Amino acid sequence: MAKDPDQLDAREAQLNSTSVLDMTSPRLKFRRKLRHFYDRAAKVAIGIGGIGVIVAILLIFLYLFYEVIPLFKAASVAEVNQYQLEVAEMAPGLHLAIEEQSEIGMRLDQSGTFLFFNLEDGTTVSAIPVSLPEATTITAFTLDTEASGIVALGLSNGQVVIVAYGYETSYAQIDNVRTITPVVSYPFGTEPYQLFSGQEVIALALRTRGESMLLAGSNSAGQGSLVRVSKQTNLLAAFSRGGEARSFDTTVATIPMSVDGTTQMYIEGDQRWLYFIAANGLIRILDMSAALNNAASQFEIETFLTVDGARPTRIAFMLGGISLLVADDRGIVSQWFLIREGDRTRLQRVRDFTPSTSPIVALSPEQRRKNFVVADATGAVSIYNSTAHREVFSEQLLTSKPDAMAISPRGDALLIESAGNIGFWRVANEHPEVSWTALWDKVWYESYTEPEYIWQSSAATNEFEPKYSLVPLSFGTLKAAFYAMLFAAPLAICGAIFTGYFMAPGMRRKVKPLIELMEALPTVVLGFLAGLWLAPFVEKNLLGIFSIIIILPVSILLASFVWMQLLHNWRHRIPEGWEAGMLIPVILVFGYLSFALATPVEQIFFEGDLRFWISNDLGITYDQRNALVVGFAMGFAVIPTIFTIAEDAIFTVPKHLTYGSLALGANPWQSLYRVVLPTASPGIFSALMIGMGRAVGETMIVLMATGNTPIMDINIFEGMRTLAANIAVEIPESEVDSTHYRILFLAALVLFTFTFVFNTVAEIVRQRLRRKYSTI
């Protein structure tokens, strides 16, 4: 039956009229404008978010840099005043000192008078003479320490007077005005101590500790004498109306060897060694414990402090009485201290400072830091820190040769006597302990047998030498990350490959969220479990841990081989992609057998204790909280991150690439190796680097699961301290704006740099991998 042509034309016109949209309609124009607005708004929002992230990172970096940069600022010295002291006749000086608040100075002269004066203008505060026996003159002088203020004055009749200077601080009750009053006392009695009979003392050494004192001296005849004094207090003195009844227990010993030529004597801080120094730099060291017991027969050490004919000009002990500073007439200052090597003790020249080519004529160590100030014959003054081996200041402050010099207890004031004038300067020297050497190089610390990398920011004694090496912390950070990645990377990547490529979709929908849920566990909980449960468990079942690492992979391969040997009908009863469920009982059984068989094996081969065998027979140190525990705990925390990113990268490989590979005759493993993994390699590498960054920055796990010992040892059974853990532990205890405080910020900057470098390298490699495999 033929259709009417007119009807066909009308129907076609109707269809054409309904299928063509009117693009100029107001409704479509509004929708296009709205879509365009949404696109631009999203673009702007994404751009603002990206720029905000970059700005936030830059602000963090700038803040860290702002806190760190003062560490490397040089010291500054500003002159306050130059004046002459208000004395009728200025006798030669023996010692200069500055009071704690840098308000009062003290000058002890050859006549035995303590002159206290105002530092700002030189006005006299008080002048206190020492009670000396009649018809005697001072022939020798020595100082215990600047902090104690106890001095010994050797006299022409062979006697020694012990006297101390100090300050009493009081506050007015009305206006709370502070008043500092100088005082002079006799801590070991007013009676002089007789070292020699009728022969003048030419050299003295003094060292006190609490209420005991060691005094040594020599005379022009080459004789030496030792005196040990202990203060005795009557237990009933508190009930006596006459006050405290004190007496002194005195032991006198004669040094059997000749000390001829001695010009200077020193007793080191532990009060064991006595140094005799001659004008030519020869030093002879005596064991005082043997000498006091009349058992000394020879000097323990004899050597020269200078070389090539140089002569020492100034010698002083640094803070703590361990390091001896020796300045010579060639402008060199050397640092020496005793080190113990087995049964032998030797005096080691540790480092040299070269502030000048002119003779050093003044040397003054600080009281609270390992700093010292030197001045040469031309008037040039330099400030050094011995540990950092750093010159923090050097400038020509004087036009004439200095006669004496003192630096304040806080290191903020400098006093120099020159040509009858006194000069007073303010010193700003906040962070002298920091240098590139102290932070990143081996440093020879006091009493150590060799240079080492050490982090030890505080100690119980004031004489402590801060050790701020960041190398052990950086090493510990990388060590913890290495063992965590060693545990996490194979499991996470292999799990991602199986889940994203082989696993059935139904099983994948259950497994992947479960693994990702692991990331929600707080790291403080993981650290708590690792420290209190996992560490003791690993120590007790060490052989079982090693066994399971070997047995489980072998058992899984064996189970897979057996599975492939089963009949075809049996294997296909399990849906494809669900075979992994059959490994759960295998893992449980062989995991149990690994621990069950470890006990008899340990009894047979390791005498029942593998940990003891490792420590005793192999000589390998084992700490309960060690890198092995950290590897397990932190690896558990890192696995979800690596797994999620790597699995997404593998799963999102276009299916047509896999189907094409299979269609060309490749088996699934060949397709995986030659097609899927190269295509997903940028994402897999990013997963590894992000996991590495997470491990580097982890804090709580390494804080709670390690011994927090900043040591450099690759041993898996040793602990470590990381940068992040160190910051968390020490930042609450550090003084704001102190050197320790700012170095912790420097550690944060180093950690920030680590993660930045890792992420940058990851992005560069990822981009190259994308370009390389984008044509597959």
Side-chain angles (χ1 to χ4, degrees), residues 486-682:
L486 191 65
F487 173 74
L491 292 177
I493 297 299
C494 292
I497 290 173
F498 186 84
T499 305
Y501 186 71
F502 293 104
M503 190 174 285
M507 191 175 186
R508 177 179 179 271
R509 287 192 294 270
K510 296 178 176 61
V511 170
K512 186 180 179 184
L514 186 62
I515 297 177
E516 291 175 343
L517 188 63
M518 292 166 51
E519 198 164 11
L521 287 174
T523 56
V524 66
V525 175
L526 293 177
F528 178 80
L529 293 175
L532 296 185
W533 171 77
L534 183 60
F537 178 81
V538 170
E539 183 182 23
K540 185 178 179 181
N541 302 276
L542 192 57
L543 186 58
I545 296 294
F546 289 146
S547 300
I548 203 171
I549 293 175
I550 299 173
I551 291 175
L552 269 187
V554 174
S555 64
I556 291 173
L557 292 176
L558 182 62
S560 301
F561 175 77
V562 172
W563 175 260
M564 294 304 297
Q565 304 307 311
L566 294 178
L567 295 176
H568 185 272
N569 292 335
W570 284 40
R571 285 191 286 112
H572 282 276
R573 290 180 180 180
I574 304 296
E576 185 177 0
W578 288 82
E579 299 91 343
M582 301 298 295
L583 291 176
I584 295 177
V586 174
I587 293 173
L588 293 176
V589 170
F590 281 93
Y592 172 78
L593 290 176
S594 298
F595 288 100
L597 296 176
T599 301
V601 172
E602 198 170 19
Q603 291 289 345
I604 296 171
F605 294 101
F606 305 107
E607 299 179 356
D609 192 343
L610 178 60
R611 179 203 175 287
F612 179 79
W613 183 82
I614 289 174
S615 301
N616 190 57
D617 292 15
L618 298 183
I620 299 175
T621 306
Y622 186 96
D623 290 335
Q624 186 186 74
R625 299 184 181 187
N626 51 45
L628 181 63
V629 176
V630 172
F632 288 149
M634 197 154 66
F636 186 83
V638 170
I639 282 175
T641 301
I642 302 176
F643 171 84
T644 301
I645 300 174
E647 199 275 343
D648 287 340
I650 294 169
F651 187 76
T652 54
V653 172
K655 297 299 181 183
H656 66 268
L657 296 178
T658 306
Y659 296 153
S661 174
L662 296 173
L664 291 174
N667 59 39
W669 282 101
Q670 290 173 328
S671 298
L672 171 69
Y673 175 71
R674 295 186 178 274
V675 177
V676 176
L677 289 183
T679 306
S681 59

